[in-house]
Amino acid sequence: MEDVRLRPPRHRVESRAVNWWRLQAALFAVPLPLTFGILWASIPPTRQIFMWLTLASLVPGLLYMLVMPSWRYRVHRWEVTDEAVYAASGWLWQQWRVVPLSRVQTVDTLRGPLQQIFKLSGVTVTTASASGAVKIKGIDHAMADDLVAHLTRFTQATPEDAT
């Protein structure tokens, strides 16, 4: 048996994923300070409290929008070999997943509305295991299609049952 060394998967996600994650972060972080800002401008007797609430919600939101996408880009990686699918993801809670190809049951592609704006896709590799699937998010549409086709061909050719 070959000696296996733990290492990060070789491929980074697309650099466009940074802007996708930044847009997701903005959609999460902007509504609350925006609401407080509107209330600050609309209700003069409560201006002081809504000013502080606007700042208290805006500062962490801006930090999240600035830090998280770049950090995730440094962490998110993937690789497919003749033996397994590897994925590293996360930013605060980082996760490395390895799925032997003999255990793969399904391979799916996901393209949400925001991903489509940035021409990105996600690939989910599912096994019979209760521990969940390997998800590779933020790869190019064409790369995702090629990856799904490759994994489908390879897993169909694998003689062992994926149970």
Side-chain angles (χ1 to χ4, degrees):
M1 179 183 231
E2 184 180 320
D3 186 29
V4 178
R5 193 178 102 240
L6 186 61
R7 59 171 176 74
R10 295 186 193 281
H11 306 292
R12 285 188 180 267
V13 297
E14 289 293 322
S15 60
R16 296 186 306 266
V18 173
N19 290 327
W20 169 50
W21 289 322
R22 189 159 286 128
L23 180 57
Q24 283 181 314
L27 292 173
F28 173 75
V30 168
L32 187 61
L34 182 62
T35 302
F36 287 144
I38 291 169
L39 292 172
W40 172 79
S42 304
I43 309 171
T46 60
R47 281 205 171 140
Q48 187 169 358
I49 192 160
F50 282 122
M51 177 192 66
W52 289 112
L53 290 172
T54 301
L55 290 174
S57 59
L58 184 62
V59 171
L62 288 175
L63 285 172
Y64 177 68
M65 288 170 46
L66 292 172
V67 173
M68 179 275 297
S70 301
W71 196 332
R72 281 181 80 174
Y73 182 71
R74 287 198 321 248
V75 172
H76 281 234
R77 294 175 180 271
W78 64 277
E79 183 176 1
V80 175
T81 66
D82 289 343
E83 293 84 30
V85 178
Y86 302 84
S89 62
W91 68 289
L92 286 180
W93 286 268
Q94 297 178 9
Q95 180 180 55
W96 285 29
R97 303 280 315 239
V98 179
V99 171
L101 290 182
S102 63
R103 305 286 293 165
V104 172
Q105 285 193 324
T106 62
V107 181
D108 301 307
T109 304
L110 173 68
R111 293 181 178 137
L114 296 180
Q115 285 174 303
Q116 291 180 41
I117 291 170
F118 293 101
K119 296 181 175 30
L120 298 171
S121 295
V123 174
T124 302
V125 180
T126 309
T127 69
S129 170
S131 64
V134 170
K135 295 181 180 182
I136 304 167
K137 297 179 181 180
I139 59 176
D140 184 73
H141 280 321
M143 176 63 73
D145 291 342
D146 291 345
L147 181 60
V148 168
H150 171 77
L151 287 171
T152 302
R153 278 192 309 274
F154 200 89
T155 54
Q156 286 177 343
T158 303
E160 299 160 18
D161 187 9
T163 56

